[in-house]
Amino acid sequence: MKTPTDPYIETFRLQAERMDELGIPCDPDAAIILLAQFMAEIEGSISEERMFSLAEIGAHLSRKGLRHRIEGSAR
């Protein structure tokens, strides 16, 4: 029996597959820039709590990017 998937998680998965098919590299820094631009556009129109949630997502991406850079420089 298949477990139901959240529609947004499914959208993320499909977009990731599309990016893979197009040969777009996984780049946490690019994701951080897109998120920062989005946050700048919506600042003031959503609650501070929601902005904090988006900032937390950015922090996870930043940590992922930092780990990727550290591992890359160790090679």
Side-chain angles (χ1 to χ4, degrees):
M1 183 173 176
K2 187 176 179 183
T3 306
T5 303
D6 180 282
Y8 290 109
I9 292 174
E10 181 65 9
T11 298
F12 300 156
R13 187 189 65 75
L14 291 171
Q15 183 65 16
E17 285 179 3
R18 181 179 163 274
M19 293 170 73
D20 287 343
E21 289 169 1
L22 294 172
I24 298 170
C26 181
D27 183 359
D29 291 337
I32 291 168
I33 291 168
L34 287 172
L35 180 60
Q37 290 170 341
F38 176 67
M39 290 175 70
E41 290 175 13
I42 63 171
E43 187 175 14
S45 65
I46 66 170
S47 71
E48 285 186 31
E49 290 172 355
R50 290 183 183 221
M51 283 296 281
F52 180 79
S53 293
L54 292 172
E56 191 170 3
I57 293 167
H60 283 283
L61 290 169
S62 183
R63 289 168 59 193
K64 173 78 172 168
L66 176 62
R67 233 180 265 119
H68 180 73
R69 284 188 293 279
I70 290 171
E71 290 171 0
S73 66
R75 292 180 185 159

